[in-house]
């Protein structure tokens, strides 16, 4: 957990440095290239790790390749691609928030879109790994997330304060609320299970 946090902090610092040194388009290009290079390095380090034995180089490589193991089914190429996509999304959010840090609502809207984007990638990954029969059940959640992103983007482009506040609610509120409800449901199930065992 600490290792993952360290990598997140270092990668966020690198993305912020790109934002402070370059304009938005060049910062995004530089960050995307840097993330690709680091993920490629991570794949190379993991490939060199002996099977069944953890090494420092393998742990370093795993720090860059933190996602995609279920989708990739142990293959390095899809793991590298998925990790690069997520690092690119997270870094783009840091760049956008850094460049627009003086605007009151923009960093929050960027955070909301980042959460929506990660949720979209997660749902697409679940659709890929699910059985053919259960894939149809993922279509509606994916469509809802895309609708949230598209609807909030249209409202945000209107430019008025009320429209942008509504965009923040449309793009930012549903997923945290669903996550909180899911967490409460799990907590209730755990507490109910413990009480049943005590009785």
């Amino acid at each position: 957990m600490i290792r993952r946090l360290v990598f997140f902090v270092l990668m966020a610092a690198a993305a912020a440095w790109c934002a402070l040194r370059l304009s938005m388009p060049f910062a995004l290009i530089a960050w995307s290239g840097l993330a690709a290079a680091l993920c490629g390095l991570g794949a190379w380090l993991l490939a060199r790790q002996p099977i069944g034995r953890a090494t420092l180089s393998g742990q370093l490589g795993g720090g860059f390749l933190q996602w995609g193991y279920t989708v990739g089914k142990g293959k390095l190429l899809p793991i590298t691609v998925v990790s690069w996509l997520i690092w690119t999304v997270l870094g783009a959010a840091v760049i956008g928030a850094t460049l627009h840090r003086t605007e009151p609502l923009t960093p929050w809207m960027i955070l909301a879109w980042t959460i929506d984007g990660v949720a979209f990638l997660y749902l697409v990954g679940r659709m890929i790994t699910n059985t053919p029969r259960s894939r149809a059940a993922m279509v509606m959640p994916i469509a809802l997330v895309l609708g949230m992103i598209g609807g909030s983007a249209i409202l945000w482009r209107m430019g008025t304060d009320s429209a942008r506040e509504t965009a923040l609610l449309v793009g930012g509120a549903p997923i945290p609320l669903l996550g909180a409800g899911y967490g409460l449901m799990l907590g209730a199930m755990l507490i109910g299970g413990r009480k049943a065992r005590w009785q």
Side-chain angles (χ1 to χ4, degrees), residues 96-107:
T98 302
L99 291 175
H100 298 282
R101 60 190 181 277
T102 58
E103 302 175 19
L105 292 180
T106 302

Side-chain angles (χ1 to χ4, degrees), residues 4 33 72 97 116 130 138 146 152 196-197:
R4 290 172 67 94
D116 294 343
N130 282 354
M138 306 303 298
L146 290 176
S152 60
R197 286 196 297 271

Side-chain angles (χ1 to χ4, degrees), residues 67-69 71-83:
W67 302 279
Y69 290 87
V71 174
K73 298 179 181 179
K75 296 181 180 179
L76 277 177
L77 180 58
I79 292 171
T80 303
V81 171
V82 171
S83 293

Side-chain angles (χ1 to χ4, degrees), residues 16 23 39 44 54-55 89 96 105 121 125-126 136-137 140 142 146:
S23 62
C39 288
W44 181 75
T55 62
V89 170
L105 292 180
L121 292 175
R126 288 294 302 270
M140 184 59 71
I142 290 174
L146 290 176

Side-chain angles (χ1 to χ4, degrees), residues 179-195 197:
Y182 183 69
L184 290 174
M185 182 184 71
L186 287 180
M189 291 173 62
L190 289 173
I191 293 172
R194 288 179 179 178
K195 287 183 177 180
R197 286 196 297 271

